[in-house]
Amino acid sequence: MSAVRAAGEHGLLVETGSLALSHRLDAALRADLPDGVVEIVPGPETVLVVAPGADRARLRARLLRELRRDGGGGPVASGPEVVTVPVVYDGADLDAVAELAGISTDEVIARHTASELVVGWLGFAPGFAYLTGLDPRLHVPRLGTPRTSVPAGSVAIAGPYSAIYPTASPGGWRLLGHTTLRTWDVACDPPTPFSPGTRVRLEAA
Amino acid sequence: MIEVIAPGPYATVQDLGRPGYAHLGVPRSGAADAASLRLANRLVGNPEGAAGVELTFGLARLLFRAGAWVALTGAPCPVPGVRGAGMGVAFWVSAGAELRLGSPEWGLRTYLAVRGGVAVEPVLGSRSTDSLSGLGPAPLRPGTVLPVGPAAHGVPADQAPPPERRPPVLRLVPGPRDDWFAPGALGALCSEPYEVSQDSNRVGVRLRGPSPARAREGELPSEGMVTGAVQVPPGGQPIVFLADHPPTGGYPVIGVVREADLAVAAQLRPGDRVRFTTRPLP
């Protein structure tokens, strides 16, 4: 049974228990946006709904209704569209990742590009997408000491996730390569091709 | 046009932020004490969400290249040398005049609204400087020139009561993760005053005091965070999230400050003492 918790006067935090349900609830709410909702923030096991102008009892009832109506299944894909990301595998940590995984660098690249990834959620920085579906062999810990600066476009992995640094920032993920695809541009609306549920394919360039 | 001669310790352009982008990792940002910015805008006849200047610890010097109606709200600063100038009232600054603000008697953030609004280029629908992600204009520096937009309405003949120093008490809505703390932890949080730490900023007010005892160790899977959330990192020292807080986080939130008290939180200075309560105040 999922719980709906108060997050202050204007927020409701829905416990979904899974990323797939977070995505389905996010999609159902966005398809028919309840009055007064200004933010819907899916996370791996929750969805935060912020609605300063809403009737809370009605909103809570709607959330519970969506959860009851949920038919299960996998994450809702955002549509048939797949964002293809060309990657040059020249990252500073490529050799170290191969050694940690006990495979060759060619196999690291093969495994990283083999399966379709799905955007779990965004956080850490604007446009920074946690890409789920990484080959388990490539699950490696973060760097012991984060780098003070990672260039924009760096393609990296840490734990069960892959990511593309949207802007230059400090970072502790292991760098496999880089892409020339811009994943953050405030002149565009939306400013990033990624949102929770977006399907992503990495291609060795 | 307003030319910044000196911005004081820290000054930024702020409006009411960029709501609707949290799921893309974008903080809401906007005025830390939004109620004061809204009031300043009303006093000069602007829409409440027009961009103004958020000063931290006053001490700014602004040269008006053209005359303008302005209003100041929030932490009360002395404004010597300009006729009719003061807090909570619209006054005229002549072309070529310099507006000098002293340091505030109390509080931290002073808001300056100018009739027509500060018209820097918006980013994702907002002119706010987001100190966490770097979106929006850079913080003000000596030499920064702030364009002023066209005025929509006349200046209303109105003034606000002098800014009132409210007691340093933050009312909390418990949760959403109060069950991650030992029974009685919320009571303990509300029993002793906390001291505001030097490293507080627009992201959050960092506090020093008793650590709420945890019932569970470890981190939560990352989840959405609201403004006013009282997050307790493993070190045990609470942080009250302000406008530039990250949209998601992994430390449990024991309670959330009520919206009406965010202005109190935003005006806390390093060294101030503050209390939490779960009781509604009269």
Side-chain angles (χ1 to χ4, degrees), chain A residues 5-10 13 15 30 38-41 43-46 48 50 121-123 125-127 184 186 191-192 194-196, chain B residues 18-27 123-124 133 135 173-177 179 221-226 247-248 256 258-260:
Chain A
R5 297 163 176 261
E9 293 164 292
H10 306 308
L13 184 72
E15 291 200 86
R30 285 184 194 276
V38 294
E39 304 282 4
I40 304 171
V41 191
E45 296 184 12
T46 53
L48 174 70
V50 181
W121 68 98
L122 292 93
W184 181 254
V186 293
T192 169
F194 302 141
S195 66
Chain B
R18 17 187 101 77
Y21 292 102
H23 65 295
L24 301 183
V26 179
V123 175
L124 299 180
S133 76
L135 292 177
V173 177
R177 296 293 177 187
D179 55 344
S222 175
E223 66 187 25
M225 292 281 144
V226 295
T248 58
V256 178
R258 290 184 180 275
E259 188 180 31

Side-chain angles (χ1 to χ4, degrees), chain B residues 146-157:
Chain B
L146 300 172
V148 175
H153 310 283
V155 175

Side-chain angles (χ1 to χ4, degrees), chain A residues 39-94:
Chain A
E39 304 282 4
I40 304 171
V41 191
E45 296 184 12
T46 53
V47 176
L48 174 70
V49 180
V50 181
D55 175 332
R56 269 172 92 78
R58 272 185 67 170
L59 181 60
R60 184 185 287 267
R62 165 79 190 276
L63 295 170
L64 290 169
R65 200 160 61 241
E66 293 292 353
L67 291 170
R68 270 199 309 274
R69 199 152 63 186
D70 178 69
V76 217
S78 54
E81 222 172 291
V82 179
V83 176
T84 301
V85 181
V87 182
V88 178
Y89 283 91
D90 60 355
D93 302 321
L94 186 60

